[in-house]
Amino acid sequence: MSKIAFIFPGQGAQYCGMGQDFYEQTATGKEIFDMASGLLDFSLPELCFEKNDRLDITEYTQAAMVTTGIAMMRVLEEKTGIRPDVTAGLSLGEYCALAAAGVMSDRDAILTVRQRGILMQEAVPAGLGAMAAVLSLDAAKIEEVLSQIDGVQIANYNCPGQIVISGKKEAVEEAGEKLLAAGAKRVIGLNVSGPFHSAMLTQAGEKLGAVLENIEIHKPVIPYVANVTAQYVTEADEVKPLLIRQVSSSVRFQQSVEAMLKDGVDTFVEIGPGKTLAGFIKKITRDAKVFNIEKLEDIDKLKEI
């Protein structure tokens, strides 16, 4: 019998129309989008389904992505009866994982990321921070190079051959030059609205702690794997400190997948726009089944489980 992980991306909001079929064709999907619109000060269907420039701004991106991920997940569960054995998400996707694990209500997950997005957007003035993807260079070598440069760190351990760095704009640029000299195949600047998962967002994480004081946290019904530690979380009191740290800490997605594989997970279901995480997993292991749920019709693929 398969051991299943639900995993959630932290990017992909640039896909205009994401989740539209879940909203228009299922009562559960519509209910979640409408609930989110009622909680927030804008229309989620309008934000997600109509072309606009707000989807690239993190204070809107975060609410859009988490609402979409939760709506897709709830419809999937309703239509298939499938429940995961463990769950995880990359960066923002961790909040969908928290909802899947029963740690936060769907409502609280959406409310929290709306405030998280605002805090992160306000933390660093535009143009001061940057992020870049480093291709085809060993993580240990990247860590070695970065240790000699102030103001830059690893933001994401995505998969073998792909690591993202983040920090002060000048430091990221200097690191890029040195990483190319150290053997990186390419260093690609990312079009992002802030230096996510860097020390520049430490204060935003601390402010998020005040938001989390008003959020009810439950003992996980199923375990989730935390970005910060790449370890299973099974107790409620572990959650808030990890979420505070997550804002400015490295996302250990590759290590999280490796932890799940070690625990016997053999099937990963990526829920959300794009196929980014599925691509990472295929570079981490060739032995697991990987499914992607991006459209309503994709749920039919899970009959193979």
Side-chain angles (χ1 to χ4, degrees):
M1 186 174 180
S2 294
K3 192 163 190 177
I4 300 169
F6 282 1
I7 55 172
F8 299 88
Q11 57 189 22
Q14 68 271 24
Y15 294 94
C16 185
M18 62 179 185
Q20 187 166 0
D21 49 352
F22 287 81
Y23 174 74
E24 293 179 345
Q25 299 177 39
T26 73
T28 296
K30 184 177 189 305
E31 181 181 329
I32 290 169
F33 275 97
D34 288 347
M35 178 263 289
S37 296
L39 291 174
L40 307 177
D41 55 357
F42 51 86
S43 165
L44 264 294
E46 181 181 313
L47 177 66
C48 294
F49 311 148
E50 297 179 16
K51 192 171 182 179
N52 64 84
D53 55 9
R54 290 183 297 167
L55 275 178
D56 291 327
I57 303 172
T58 195
E59 68 169 278
Y60 295 104
T61 303
Q62 297 200 22
M65 283 291 295
V66 169
T67 299
T68 300
I70 289 174
M72 290 179 173
M73 172 188 65
R74 296 304 181 202
V75 171
L76 183 157
E77 290 178 332
E78 181 179 76
K79 287 185 172 296
T80 66
I82 294 171
R83 298 292 185 272
D85 298 290
V86 61
T87 185
L90 188 150
S91 186
L92 174 64
E94 186 160 345
Y95 283 83
C96 295
L98 291 168
V103 173
M104 278 187 189
S105 68
D106 296 349
R107 175 184 182 278
D108 281 348
I110 294 165
L111 282 173
T112 302
V113 298
R114 170 59 173 158
Q115 293 304 312
R116 180 180 183 268
I118 291 170
L119 292 170
M120 291 170 67
Q121 191 70 47
E122 293 176 344
V124 181
L128 295 187
M131 300 181 75
V134 183
L135 305 184
S136 302
L137 189 62
D138 182 73
K141 186 63 179 177
I142 295 173
E143 291 166 354
E144 178 187 335
V145 171
L146 297 190
S147 70
Q148 302 167 32
I149 306 171
D150 291 332
V152 61
Q153 68 191 71
I154 291 179
N156 298 62
Y157 294 85
N158 286 336
C159 63
Q162 187 180 131
I163 283 177
V164 175
I165 62 174
S166 180
K168 296 178 181 177
K169 185 173 185 291
E170 297 80 4
V172 171
E173 290 171 351
E174 179 185 351
E177 293 173 4
K178 291 186 175 179
L179 290 166
L180 286 169
K185 185 175 181 180
R186 294 179 70 193
V187 177
I188 305 168
L190 302 181
N191 181 20
V192 292
S193 58
F196 304 132
H197 300 290
S198 78
M200 296 179 79
L201 292 182
T202 299
Q203 191 174 36
E206 293 169 353
K207 290 180 179 179
L208 179 65
V211 174
L212 290 169
E213 287 179 6
N214 299 314
I215 299 297
E216 189 172 355
I217 299 294
H218 306 278
K219 179 181 172 68
V221 177
I222 60 167
Y224 81 92
V225 183
N227 282 184
V228 173
T229 61
Q231 295 178 357
Y232 278 49
V233 176
T234 58
E235 299 298 332
D237 61 3
E238 299 176 71
V239 176
K240 289 183 181 180
L242 287 168
L243 292 180
I244 292 168
R245 290 171 58 195
Q246 190 234 41
V247 175
S248 58
S249 297
S250 303
V251 173
R252 299 180 178 274
F253 184 74
Q254 178 179 338
Q255 296 91 329
S256 297
V257 171
E258 289 168 347
M260 289 184 276
L261 292 169
K262 186 176 180 181
D263 186 53
V265 171
D266 58 7
T267 303
F268 293 87
V269 181
E270 179 180 4
I271 303 172
K275 299 177 175 62
T276 300
L277 302 189
F280 293 163
I281 290 171
K282 288 173 183 177
K283 291 181 179 178
I284 296 168
T285 179
R286 294 183 177 275
D287 296 330
K289 293 180 181 178
V290 184
F291 298 89
N292 174 268
I293 306 300
E294 185 176 15
K295 300 291 184 184
L296 189 58
E297 63 200 42
D298 292 335
I299 290 175
D300 291 338
K301 299 174 187 175
L302 298 186
K303 293 174 182 177
E304 299 174 32
I305 293 179

